[in-house]
Amino acid sequence: MKILVTGGVRSGKSRHAEQLLDNAAHVTYVAPGRPADGSDPDWDARVAHHRSRRPAHWHTVETTDVAAAVRDARGAVLVDCLGTWLTAVLDERALWEADAGIASGEVEKGTAALCDALSGARDVVVVTNEVGLGVVPSHRSGVLFRDLLGTVNQRVAAVCEDVHLVIAGRVLIL
């Protein structure tokens, strides 16, 4: 089973992804975003909320090297989420102001490695943000993020068996 779960902010996509793995004996939860560190109370609260929902037997890996985490995992894998992974990649490589072609090339390297790892995985659920349904961003960084994440989502969806779209807590299997 390889499933990409997508949807808007607060759509219920993470909860749905977690439920897909309710019966798995071993789950590696890959959190590719910035860890809670006290610098942003809102972000820290979001991270705490996600942590509180995870079963105690799930193993959490906080890393931006999602491909390695997927390859190294024992049992099922939940990656939550590609939007935070992309943000971390753009931050780590200082790509927010880079030429779009350069940024795209750098992100493609990570996406290719991720897709390769996902292709070799058995039971994996990947969560991502659906950003193409909203307002056109007014800042270059927003346009860059939207465009890159749209491409990442397409690439990951291509190696998954199913894509689940979550809207208002309801799931549509595409």
Side-chain angles (χ1 to χ4, degrees):
M1 154 185 83
K2 292 182 188 92
I3 300 172
L4 177 65
V5 178
T6 187
V9 174
R10 296 289 192 224
S11 63
K13 61 189 178 293
S14 293
R15 184 175 304 276
H16 173 66
E18 293 161 1
Q19 290 170 346
L20 290 170
L21 297 174
D22 272 347
N23 296 321
H26 299 283
V27 176
T28 299
Y29 183 102
V30 182
R34 181 176 56 79
D37 62 6
S39 66
D40 181 346
D42 292 333
W43 177 254
D44 292 353
R46 187 177 289 245
V47 170
H49 177 70
H50 276 258
R51 285 179 180 159
S52 72
R53 287 198 322 244
R54 285 181 225 149
H57 69 278
W58 285 18
H59 172 67
T60 300
V61 176
E62 293 181 346
T63 181
T64 57
D65 192 351
V66 178
V70 169
R71 281 192 307 272
D72 296 344
R74 187 177 126 220
V77 180
L78 173 58
V79 177
D80 194 358
C81 90
L82 294 181
T84 55
W85 170 75
L86 177 59
T87 299
V89 168
L90 293 171
D91 285 347
E92 286 175 356
R93 296 184 177 104
L95 294 171
W96 289 106
E97 299 302 322
D99 174 85
I102 292 171
S104 180
E106 286 297 308
V107 170
E108 173 54 29
K109 290 175 192 174
T111 304
L114 173 59
C115 288
D116 184 56
L118 292 172
S119 293
R122 265 185 89 165
D123 293 324
V124 62
V125 177
V126 180
V127 177
T128 191
N129 304 101
E130 189 55 53
V131 293
L133 299 174
V135 177
V136 175
S138 60
H139 298 284
R140 182 184 181 282
S141 59
V143 172
L144 178 70
F145 179 83
R146 180 203 57 197
D147 291 351
L148 290 173
L149 188 57
T151 301
V152 169
N153 288 348
Q154 289 182 53
R155 292 284 315 280
V156 171
V159 298
C160 290
E161 295 153 357
D162 289 309
V163 176
H164 295 190
L165 174 62
V166 183
I167 298 177
R170 306 291 298 266
V171 179
L172 177 63
I173 299 174
L174 306 177

